[in-house]
Amino acid sequence: MVKKIITFLILATLVSCSSSKPTIATTKKAAAVQRPRVATTKKQAPVKPIGKNYPSTNNTTEVIQSTSKTVVTSDLITNYVLQYKDIAMGNMQKYGIPASIILAQGILESGAGRGDLALEANNHFGIKCHKDWLGESVRHDDDSAQECFRKYPEAAESYRDHALFLVGKKRYETLFTYEKDDYKSWAKGLRAAGYATDPNYPDKLISYIERYNLHQYDCQVTGRNYKPFEKTTPTKSVSTPTKSASNSNANDPNSYEVQKGDTLYSISKKFNVLVDDLKQKNNLSDNAISIGQRLKVK
């Protein structure tokens, strides 16, 4: 009996001791909750910013005012040149008009192909119907309301008609006395012959030719080496003619000695006389002059 009582007390003591210890499973779970998640930290790597496609700084925008107001970019003008340069060079070979002048006029008159007449009538040079036109036409406001303009089945016909227009009109005869690749004389001669009323028309053509290197297509036709346009300092462009003019005036105020780069047109502008008057005063049958030649200007 005593042995049973002692055994019972020992078992009771063991049960009491075991119940006071914390369970291992619970402790391990708590530790697991407190441990940081390494996987989450690895996923938070720095993200690189995505690059933006910014427009080219060279793709400038301008407004061309011809028979309609057209907003174009330099890229559009470049694409226009690439599209029509072969036609322009072909016309230069056949008709003797500088390809650079043809392209510059096309850019200006058609708004680089985006103007109303170019889109509606394939008319890239703003040529009006006139009495001899028997083809299709469209009406468009210009100098007067709803004027008649020529309509072409394709742009190439407009380029051809432009060449025939210059070749066939007597007032443009002087243009064909200039060198084929003398785009500056052609630009000024067009204005003098009455092709456009805008006093800045020559400067606009020359600007397009030099900005977009259109003179290279003249050189491809003539076989001459092309030199990209380089701006000269104002002192060089002004001082030489002024000095020459003063020397000639010292000898004879009514005459002028031809300098390198002079043309009858440039001399006429210098002394405010007409080209025809210069030719008449100096018994010239054409526009050919030579360096050192003395001309009567008054």
Side-chain angles (χ1 to χ4, degrees):
M1 185 65 181
V2 175
K3 290 182 179 179
K4 288 183 179 181
I5 295 171
I6 293 171
T7 302
F8 177 80
L9 292 172
I10 292 171
L11 289 173
T13 302
L14 290 172
V15 171
S16 175
C17 290
S18 63
S19 62
S20 63
K21 293 181 181 178
T23 60
I24 297 173
T26 304
T27 305
K28 288 182 178 179
K29 288 183 179 179
V33 172
Q34 294 174 1
R35 187 180 298 126
R37 295 174 59 88
V38 178
T40 304
T41 305
K42 287 182 178 179
K43 288 182 179 179
Q44 294 177 349
V47 180
K48 294 182 179 179
I50 300 173
K52 296 181 180 180
N53 294 322
Y54 293 103
S56 171
T57 55
N58 293 327
N59 192 22
T60 56
T61 302
E62 63 180 284
V63 177
I64 297 178
Q65 181 70 55
S66 54
T67 51
S68 60
K69 187 176 181 180
T70 312
V71 179
V72 300
T73 64
S74 55
D75 283 350
L76 284 174
I77 295 176
T78 297
N79 291 335
Y80 180 87
V81 171
L82 293 176
Q83 184 175 359
Y84 295 107
K85 64 182 178 64
D86 291 332
I87 296 176
M89 287 190 288
N91 283 2
M92 180 177 180
Q93 291 174 324
K94 187 172 183 178
Y95 301 105
I97 305 166
S100 59
I101 287 291
I102 296 171
L103 290 169
Q105 284 193 282
I107 292 169
L108 182 57
E109 300 291 347
S110 75
R114 296 304 178 103
D116 293 342
L117 282 176
L119 295 174
E120 296 172 10
N122 284 318
N123 190 333
H124 284 236
F125 297 91
I127 299 179
K128 297 180 182 179
C129 293
H130 303 293
K131 296 179 181 179
D132 56 345
W133 180 246
L134 301 176
E136 292 186 64
S137 63
V138 294
R139 295 286 173 175
H140 187 78
D141 292 344
D142 191 38
D143 296 327
S144 302
Q146 294 299 290
E147 292 190 82
C148 183
F149 286 87
R150 302 182 183 189
K151 182 178 181 179
Y152 305 95
E154 57 183 0
E157 289 296 317
S158 174
Y159 271 75
R160 178 177 174 272
D161 204 23
H162 167 261
L164 294 174
F165 183 79
L166 294 181
V167 171
K169 298 292 183 181
K170 188 175 181 180
R171 61 176 174 170
Y172 299 120
E173 287 180 350
T174 303
L175 297 174
F176 295 90
T177 64
Y178 304 140
E179 292 288 336
K180 283 186 178 181
D181 57 356
D182 186 2
Y183 63 86
K184 290 185 178 180
S185 294
W186 272 82
K188 296 172 183 176
L190 281 166
R191 167 74 175 87
Y195 188 95
T197 57
D198 182 1
N200 297 319
Y201 192 79
D203 293 333
K204 291 178 180 179
L205 294 182
I206 293 171
S207 174
Y208 283 125
I209 291 170
E210 294 177 349
R211 274 192 288 156
Y212 293 94
N213 298 312
L214 304 184
H215 184 50
Q216 64 179 302
Y217 305 116
D218 300 337
C219 294
Q220 288 185 33
V221 174
T222 61
R224 297 180 181 178
N225 292 329
Y226 172 65
K227 294 181 180 180
F229 172 73
E230 295 181 1
K231 292 183 179 181
T232 56
T233 57
T235 53
K236 289 183 179 180
S237 61
V238 174
S239 61
T240 301
T242 304
K243 184 178 179 181
S244 300
S246 62
N247 288 342
S248 63
N249 289 338
N251 297 326
D252 184 355
N254 297 322
S255 67
Y256 173 75
E257 184 176 329
V258 178
Q259 306 297 310
K260 183 178 180 180
D262 280 340
T263 64
L264 278 182
Y265 180 80
S266 66
I267 295 172
S268 71
K269 291 299 181 185
K270 186 188 296 289
F271 294 98
N272 197 26
V273 295
L274 297 175
V275 172
D276 289 339
D277 289 344
L278 282 176
K279 292 169 70 175
Q280 184 176 1
K281 290 177 184 292
N282 295 278
N283 297 319
L284 300 176
S285 58
D286 54 30
N287 288 3
I289 54 176
S290 57
I291 298 174
Q293 180 179 0
R294 189 170 293 280
L295 299 175
K296 294 180 181 179
V297 295
K298 292 184 181 180

